[in-house]
Amino acid sequence: MAEGTTAAVGAGLDVNTAGNPTEIAMAYLQDEVTFICVLIFLNHTVYLRLEQMQHFCSSVSPAVHIQANLEDDLVKEALKTGVDLRQYSKQVEAELQRIEQASIKDYIKESQNIALLHNQITACDSILERMEGMLSGFQSDLSSISSEIQTLQQQSVSMNVRLKNRQAVRSHLSQLVDELVVPGAMISTILDSPVTEQEFLEQLHELNNKINFAKELSFRETLACSDIQDIVDRLKLKAVSKIREFILQKIYSFRKPMTNYQIPQNTLLKYRFFYQFLLANERTVAKEIRDEYVDTMSKIYYSYFKSYSGRLLKVQYEEVADKDDLMGVEDTSRNTIFTLGQRGAILSPAELEGPILVPHTAQRGDSRYPYETLFRSQHYALLDNGCREYLFLSDFFMVAGNSALDLFNSIMGKTLSMFLKSMSTYVSDCYDSIAIFLCIHIILRFRAITAKRNIPALDKYWEAVLELLWPRFELILEMNIHSIRNTDPQKLGVLDTRPHYITRRYAEFSSAIVSINQTFPNERTNALLGQLQVEVENFVLKMAAEFPSRRDQLIFLINNYDMMLGVLMERAADDSKEVEGFQQLLLARTQEFIEEILSPPFGGMIAFVKEAEALMEKGQLDRLKNEEARITQLVRGFSSTWKQSVESMSQDVMRSFTNFKNGTSIIQGALTQLIQYYHGFHKILNQPTFRSLAVRSELINLHHLMVEVKKHKPNF
């Protein structure tokens, strides 16, 4: 410690002359700490030694502490070595005195260094005191600066708030002033410019905004509102007057003869804001315009459609079906009422939405049309005009939902009522079921078109028309069913195996209804067609029963079934109920007829084959072993006559059936059946019972027979 201090002093670190007081203070402090630590260590060592000596001396205390003292390590060591405790105590005291004297000498020896250390500590205290003063000054200055910054920040926030408030007030006041001020350009435009100019429309929008703003201010009781109220009201009245005059002129232009009212309608749509302005600011005038438009357009539509419908009826076919033109009556010249022909083309997209008929053009060309064509033209005109009118009303008069439907009905209601009344009159006396059914499907398709266009205006009308047409169609169909059911075959003229005209009527009619009904199936229609088919099948059976021979009966049945099936398959689907039903009937009667025509020339052989096959199944074929004469006759008879019989049978079949294709099919079936019977005849004669018969050698080779039979198949 003394060496360190001396070194510091010897290095010339003078407190008064040093350049950096802080460095000098830190150097002295470092030596001081080292010196103090040495002194503390020496004192602590002495103290511990003294404490040990005192503790040793206390070990000779009274007996009550003897046991505890005996536990002490020093005592144990002294006892162990056999030291005299009194003598040892004196030695300890002497050593303590010596150590004490040594310590005093050390203190005295280092007295100069301690004094020097004291002076250095005092100098350091002075330096630190000055530094503390400087730092305190700095702290005070910083506190003052922080306070000033905080004050400036508060002032800045306050000024920012005031600025925002002023800007907000300025914005509101500026908007208020702009809304309140009525520019001279607006006044001159509203007063002098035509309503059709774009500038007038723009200034009208601005005027409408100022009117609404003035209303809003009046609710707030703003005093500035009174400054502009008068001029705004006068401009509003002038604008209303000019708009009213303009719209009424457009509406009145609809009334001129030969006017295409769609043109002024499109003009009004360009200025739809005019009505919106009236509705917002002068409801009385808006109602006047709306009522005038409704009255005008209602009369225009009624007059147009009444005239158009009347002129259409002049180009209708003069010859129409009456109550006696039913399926079950005697043959008449008007069988075409049961035939669809080209009438079904009216449902094709090209014709369904094609141009409407122009009656005077058709009259000049002496053209005539069935009722469904006129019906399509009339209702397509209604659909086209109705959709356009509904869209115009919704757009110009700003209505939707029930309000739009009510407005539409107030215009078109009279026209639609006229249509329904006229249609009811016609339908009540109509017996052309195909025309009625085509009209039903025209309405179904028109209803789908309006639904696709999202126009609900005509929905109720479509339903009303269908409610008129469906019952009438069902009534006519039921009348035809009853007419066939009540038909007396004996009153229908000469019997003929060719297809009957009543079944042809049914085939044409049923195929027409089935083909039309495929797009929009109706269960009630299918049920009535099923009843009609049952009655026709019963009628064919009744007619067949009039023939004396079963062969003629079968020819009549096959011809009629084949004809009806052929007509149905031209229009109806192959898997339809009607087609499948007649296919089964035709197949059953054809198989029976084949057996019938094979019976005369080959009946003996066929009967023998069937009898023998039955006995073979029972194992009783031996019962025929005595039938050699019969078998010989059958073998020789077949061999000698089969070619002539097949040729005669083929010619007879081709004469009996009007459909060559059907006749060919029957001949092929008959020959195939004949070969099967002869093959069965071979198998029977090859049984052990008949192997000994000599006539077996006269059997025709089956393969040879098949080759010869093929020569007799007719080719077309």
Side-chain angles (χ1 to χ4, degrees), residues 68 98 266 327:
R98 184 180 59 77
N266 293 334
M327 202 173 294

Side-chain angles (χ1 to χ4, degrees), residues 284-409:
T284 304
V285 177
K287 185 178 184 304
E288 176 191 3
I289 288 176
R290 176 169 164 169
D291 292 344
E292 192 66 35
Y293 179 85
V294 169
D295 181 65
T296 299
M297 293 307 297
S298 177
K299 292 177 181 177
I300 288 174
Y301 280 126
Y302 180 79
S303 175
Y304 166 73
F305 279 107
K306 183 177 181 181
S307 173
Y308 183 67
S309 300
R311 285 183 284 125
L312 278 178
L313 292 177
K314 294 180 181 179
V315 295
Q316 183 182 0
Y317 283 132
E318 295 180 357
E319 186 178 0
V320 295
D322 57 32
K323 63 181 179 179
D324 295 325
D325 292 320
L326 298 174
M327 202 173 294
V329 300
E330 295 181 8
D331 197 8
T332 64
S333 60
R334 288 204 295 268
N335 284 328
T336 54
I337 62 172
F338 302 104
T339 304
L340 183 62
Q342 297 301 316
R343 296 170 72 181
I346 197 71
L347 298 178
S348 66
E351 290 200 27
L352 188 69
E353 300 183 57
I356 63 174
L357 289 177
V358 181
H360 63 271
T361 303
Q363 283 180 302
R364 283 201 300 266
D366 199 25
S367 300
R368 291 292 182 268
Y369 302 94
Y371 177 74
E372 66 271 9
T373 301
L374 311 181
F375 181 89
R376 196 279 319 175
S377 184
Q378 180 188 48
H379 282 82
Y380 188 69
L382 174 65
L383 180 148
D384 193 40
N385 285 275
C387 290
R388 185 180 295 108
E389 186 64 31
Y390 180 81
L391 292 174
F392 174 82
L393 295 175
S394 301
D395 198 358
F396 186 79
F397 290 103
M398 297 179 298
V399 290
N402 291 331
S403 298
L405 294 177
D406 292 341
L407 184 58
F408 178 84
N409 289 329

Side-chain angles (χ1 to χ4, degrees), residues 595-624:
E595 296 290 336
E596 186 72 21
I597 60 175
L598 289 175
S599 181
F602 309 109
M605 182 190 68
I606 293 172
F608 177 80
V609 169
K610 290 180 178 180
E611 181 183 0
E613 287 178 347
L615 291 174
M616 283 175 63
E617 289 181 2
K618 299 177 182 179
Q620 301 175 358
L621 189 60
D622 290 343
R623 293 174 59 179
L624 297 177

Side-chain angles (χ1 to χ4, degrees), residues 229-242:
Q229 191 66 52
D230 181 59
I231 188 171
V232 168
D233 288 343
R234 284 190 288 173
L235 286 175
K236 181 182 72 174
L237 292 175
K238 182 63 176 177
V240 167
S241 175
K242 294 176 72 172

Side-chain angles (χ1 to χ4, degrees), residues 405-406 409 416 420 456-465 467:
L405 294 177
D406 292 341
N409 289 329
L416 298 180
L420 291 173
L458 293 170
D459 288 353
K460 291 186 177 179
Y461 175 75
W462 301 139
E463 294 300 327
V465 173
E467 288 176 2

